[in-house]
Amino acid sequence: MKHAIALCVVMIASGCASIKLGDPVKGEEIKKFDRMSDKAQIYVCRDSRTFGLAIRPDIQLDGKDIGTVARSTFAYAEVPPGNHTLVAKTLEHDSKLPVSVMAGEQRFFQTWISVGVFAGWGLIDEIDAAKGKACVTEGEFVEAATR
């Protein structure tokens, strides 16, 4: 029984990724929501809800990390038009979402935590622009940690 409890503690602790805050000046520029004519912009935010506070999903776009989101943070990417895949990765689950974008488009997504067996699942859904802009405006910009 002791071993099972120790294993659970290790699994939960390892699911708590650290975040890397991005450049605050760049974050303020991103929050202006200036559209780009040749690329699409993807915003992934996490609001201030407290459920799953210790769980911080790694956000990937087309297999590349764009940031680890904690409460009240957002990740951002500029992508060429076409088909892409967003992923919210946690210890127990990868939530994948195919996304098709056009040049000049701004798309907003929100990640949130659902109950899991050991550490919870990071899920990702698209949200409307008004809600997305509010979530991004209230959050801090994060970038992918260099490894």
Side-chain angles (χ1 to χ4, degrees):
M1 182 66 173
K2 284 183 180 179
H3 290 95
I5 292 171
L7 177 62
C8 288
V9 169
V10 168
M11 290 180 75
I12 290 170
S14 65
C16 303
S18 62
I19 66 167
K20 178 185 179 217
L21 291 178
D23 176 10
V25 173
K26 183 177 178 183
E28 289 305 312
E29 283 298 313
I30 293 168
K31 290 179 182 184
K32 290 180 181 177
F33 304 106
D34 293 333
R35 289 188 185 270
M36 303 180 80
S37 61
D38 60 336
K39 293 183 179 178
Q41 295 158 286
I42 293 180
Y43 302 81
V44 181
C45 70
R46 184 165 173 195
D47 65 19
S48 60
R49 285 184 249 182
T50 57
F51 181 77
L53 183 64
I55 301 167
R56 299 171 175 169
D58 293 321
I59 305 301
Q60 293 183 339
L61 180 62
D62 299 331
K64 296 179 182 174
D65 290 333
I66 63 170
T68 299
V69 291
R71 193 175 98 172
S72 299
T73 63
F74 72 93
Y76 170 81
E78 298 167 355
V79 296
N83 297 319
H84 301 278
T85 302
L86 267 174
V87 179
K89 295 179 72 72
T90 56
L91 181 63
E92 284 189 27
H93 180 73
D94 292 354
S95 180
K96 297 179 183 180
L97 185 65
V99 178
S100 181
V101 296
M102 296 184 297
E105 206 172 13
Q106 293 180 326
R107 302 280 290 276
F108 297 88
F109 302 87
Q110 184 172 35
T111 185
W112 50 282
I113 305 304
S114 176
V115 176
V117 177
F118 294 106
W121 291 15
L123 302 176
I124 192 165
D125 293 310
E126 187 163 9
I127 56 177
D128 67 58
K131 185 175 179 183
K133 286 181 179 180
C135 186
V136 168
T137 300
E138 294 170 5
E140 290 186 80
F141 172 52
V142 296
E143 293 181 300
T146 54
R147 296 177 190 195

